[in-house]
Amino acid sequence: MFELNNAQLFMHSVNKRGLNQSLTLCGSAVLFKKYSDEELQIAVNNLLRENKTLRTYFIEKNQKTYQDFEPYKKRNFKIKFFNSIEEMDEFGKIYATIPQNYKIVCDDEKDKIKKKKSHNIFLLFNYLKQQNSIKKNKKKLGLMDNELSCFDIILIQLPNASGAFIKMNHIISDGWSMYLIANQLLKSLNNEEFKTYEYNYFIENNKNYELSERGILDKEYFKNEWLKYPNKTVIFPGKIYSFKGKRKEFAFDIEVSNKIKNYCKENQISESVFFISAIGIALYNKIKNDKFYVGMINANRLGLIEKNMVGLAALQLPLLLEVSSKMSFKDFLVLNKEKTISLLRRVRGYVKPKEVNGLYTDFYISFRNATINTDSNLRIKEYFPMAFGNVVTLAIEENFNTKTFNMYFDHNIKIKDVEAIKILNVISNIINKVLNNNELLIKDLTVED
């Protein structure tokens, strides 16, 4: 048992307000090989036994919140049979909108931490509608409340394939953890050993680091980063009146994807910096401001232990983009490369903006290139929970099956579809231009409506 860290406390407060749908991570992992029902059950129980984080529940005591774990016991997981991948994906889309039970134990009522109320009557009304929709979807899929607090699996059987839907609450998981569980499932199905490490090691290691001389210096570095531009970055202004969310997607074809990879290799630049720079110019075109923050989401897993640990480790680093219309795209890349390297060297000293001077950005960029190292025939699919808050996340994924890049724009419904689609198209246009001419100035990358 250990006390929740700062990132988990934020997730805990959101969950307690009944907004855990927005914190639901859900995907499917399908191997195009048949396994028996018994083999699937054994494999998933291996995951549950070896990763105690998957058996998480919470204790509220003395106005603090702790993470604890249920003892392992063998479970029989639900099995769903589908005639096709398309039918399976339709189920997955609805399944992702149904959050798990969120178990909190409180022995004494005075120790119970009160729930925060919704911001206004409009949010309350839409919250109630959302809860009603969750009940309907649960009934539609024939699902009962799951026993586990923050983790659930439904086993998948297809005519020529087998796999599982994997669902976790964000308080115990990030995107890396989802890929890790899929990888472990495959290893278990193939009777291969896999090594796991527990989240409490990560918690204790971070505590020791924060008290070290290096930790103190890195913390000061991030405080100074937030103070370089003490203004809020608001790309999409306006209040939210609903917690409904949407996802817009953009897929680059294999030809453009290969051009991006070759461009980055030739210019000795990471693909993440390439996309961040293109996105930065698109945002500059939108807000007409030459200095602004974006949150750069980082996996924050530095060693073997962290990379084999299920838990919430990801951080949202403050990347200050400074744009000049007279700067070339190539020079902009170099500038952002230097900034990201500096941030990543000190990643463990991250300081939240509210510890310095409030909330600085509503736009977050995530670059995902996690791969599964067991079988290239594995098919991974992520499903959006259809709920979001007052921020935006633009994720770039390098799909290890198709070898192409995809962009996922996740946002609250306050942002209109036409606006979301436009920003993706602007980014694509910028990328196509610079692939053809590396020396273009940023003023030449302004895209007409």
Side-chain angles (χ1 to χ4, degrees):
M1 184 176 78
F2 54 85
E3 189 175 349
L4 299 189
N5 61 26
N6 287 334
Q8 288 183 298
L9 285 171
F10 170 76
M11 301 294 180
H12 186 59
S13 67
V14 173
N15 276 304
K16 288 200 67 176
R17 295 175 67 184
L19 307 179
N20 45 351
Q21 182 180 347
S22 63
L23 301 181
T24 300
L25 304 179
C26 184
S28 60
V30 174
L31 190 66
F32 292 96
K33 176 181 177 181
K34 284 296 291 183
Y35 293 91
S36 69
D37 293 353
E38 183 181 4
E39 287 174 316
L40 290 173
Q41 294 283 5
I42 290 172
V44 176
N45 272 282
N46 284 344
L47 301 185
L48 193 61
R49 184 181 62 248
E50 297 301 321
N51 296 281
K52 68 179 183 181
T53 301
L54 303 181
R55 297 178 261 121
T56 289
Y57 71 100
F58 303 95
I59 297 173
E60 290 184 348
K61 188 174 182 180
N62 298 326
Q63 298 302 299
K64 292 183 178 181
T65 306
Y66 301 87
Q67 184 171 347
D68 206 348
F69 313 97
E70 302 275 8
Y72 168 73
K73 69 175 183 179
K74 185 179 179 181
R75 286 175 166 82
N76 287 315
F77 290 89
K78 188 178 183 70
I79 303 174
K80 289 290 294 183
F81 298 85
F82 301 99
N83 294 315
S84 66
I85 287 286
E86 292 75 18
E87 182 185 356
M88 181 198 79
D89 283 340
E90 288 304 310
F91 181 96
K93 289 176 184 177
I94 301 174
Y95 178 56
T97 68
I98 303 171
Q100 299 105 316
N101 285 337
Y102 195 72
K103 182 178 176 181
I104 302 173
V105 173
C106 184
D107 294 332
D108 193 328
E109 188 64 25
K110 69 180 181 181
D111 290 330
K112 190 172 183 179
I113 300 173
K114 293 181 179 179
K115 292 184 180 180
K116 293 181 179 179
K117 295 180 180 179
S118 295
H119 299 294
N120 56 55
I121 191 66
F122 298 104
L123 281 177
L124 179 59
F125 174 70
N126 279 277
Y127 163 73
L128 294 174
K129 286 178 63 178
Q130 197 172 21
Q131 295 303 301
N132 187 52
S133 177
I134 290 170
K135 289 180 181 178
K136 287 181 179 179
N137 284 341
K138 190 180 292 187
K139 184 177 180 180
K140 182 177 181 179
L141 298 187
L143 299 178
M144 304 292 289
D145 289 336
N146 59 302
E147 295 180 43
L148 296 164
S149 176
C150 295
F151 170 72
D152 193 21
I153 271 190
I154 294 178
L155 303 177
I156 296 169
Q157 289 289 22
L158 289 154
N160 298 303
S162 300
F165 292 109
I166 302 169
K167 186 191 287 185
M168 288 192 273
N169 189 293
H170 209 343
I171 197 169
I172 68 160
S173 176
D174 48 25
W176 185 284
S177 299
M178 293 290 288
Y179 276 97
L180 182 60
I181 287 295
N183 197 19
Q184 290 179 2
L185 174 63
L186 281 176
K187 286 182 176 292
S188 186
L189 284 170
N190 293 328
N191 296 314
E192 299 175 24
E193 291 185 359
F194 58 89
K195 181 67 176 174
T196 63
Y197 298 92
E198 297 304 336
Y199 191 56
N200 55 330
Y201 168 86
F202 177 77
I203 297 288
E204 291 302 318
N205 197 32
N206 272 358
K207 285 181 180 178
N208 294 333
Y209 169 78
E210 288 172 0
L211 296 174
S212 70
E213 182 179 355
R214 173 68 187 272
I216 293 169
L217 290 174
D218 288 348
K219 195 167 186 176
E220 284 301 311
Y221 167 84
F222 276 102
K223 286 181 179 179
N224 291 329
E225 282 299 300
W226 280 120
L227 291 171
K228 283 183 177 178
Y229 183 64
N231 293 324
K232 292 183 179 180
T233 297
V234 180
I235 308 296
F236 296 97
K239 294 182 179 180
I240 62 170
Y241 297 100
S242 170
F243 295 112
K244 287 184 180 179
K246 285 190 174 182
R247 164 172 286 182
K248 293 298 176 184
E249 301 182 19
F250 186 99
F252 292 93
D253 61 31
I254 187 65
E255 182 181 358
V256 174
S257 296
N258 285 336
K259 283 183 178 179
I260 293 171
K261 293 173 187 176
N262 291 334
Y263 180 99
C264 293
K265 186 176 181 180
E266 290 170 4
N267 290 276
Q268 297 182 318
I269 206 88
S270 71
E271 291 154 358
S272 61
V273 170
F274 176 85
F275 275 100
I276 286 170
S277 300
I279 294 166
I281 296 171
L283 299 181
Y284 164 72
N285 289 341
K286 176 176 169 53
I287 64 174
K288 309 302 180 186
N289 196 338
D290 60 4
K291 189 180 290 189
F292 55 91
Y293 284 100
V294 294
M296 185 175 72
I297 300 178
N298 177 263
N300 189 28
R301 293 169 185 263
L302 305 177
L304 177 66
I305 291 177
E306 287 87 354
K307 289 179 179 179
N308 287 281
M309 169 203 78
V310 174
L312 175 58
L315 295 172
Q316 299 161 340
L317 307 180
L319 177 60
L320 181 61
L321 296 179
E322 298 175 276
V323 189
S324 169
S325 62
K326 297 179 181 179
M327 180 186 295
S328 72
F329 181 77
K330 188 174 182 180
D331 289 340
F332 191 49
L333 279 176
V334 173
L335 178 63
N336 292 329
K337 177 182 178 180
E338 292 171 352
K339 288 185 175 183
T340 55
I341 289 173
S342 183
L343 289 170
L344 294 175
R345 281 176 176 168
R346 301 167 174 87
V347 60
R348 294 172 66 193
Y350 171 71
V351 175
K352 293 191 296 183
K354 74 175 186 178
E355 295 179 44
V356 184
N357 195 20
L359 179 66
Y360 280 78
T361 181
D362 67 344
F363 198 99
Y364 297 93
I365 301 173
S366 172
F367 186 82
R368 308 172 187 170
N369 62 349
T371 57
I372 303 298
N373 57 19
T374 49
D375 197 314
S376 60
N377 289 319
L378 178 71
R379 188 254 199 189
I380 293 287
K381 176 71 175 179
E382 178 189 346
Y383 306 104
F384 183 59
M386 303 302 290
F388 225 65
N390 202 16
V391 295
V392 164
T393 298
L394 202 162
I396 301 95
E397 174 195 66
E398 182 182 358
N399 189 293
F400 73 94
N401 288 127
T402 64
K403 310 301 181 186
T404 59
F405 293 107
N406 299 319
M407 293 190 292
Y408 302 103
F409 188 82
D410 297 343
H411 58 91
N412 188 275
I413 61 167
K414 78 169 188 179
I415 299 174
K416 304 301 182 184
D417 287 353
V418 65
E419 194 173 11
I421 293 169
K422 179 182 177 181
I423 198 81
L424 293 175
N425 286 333
V426 169
I427 295 166
S428 172
N429 288 337
I430 289 170
I431 286 174
N432 280 298
K433 283 187 176 183
V434 300
L435 289 177
N436 292 323
N437 186 350
N438 192 31
E439 300 297 333
L440 279 176
L441 301 181
I442 288 176
K443 68 178 182 179
D444 299 322
L445 296 171
T446 301
V447 180
E448 297 292 334
D449 291 342

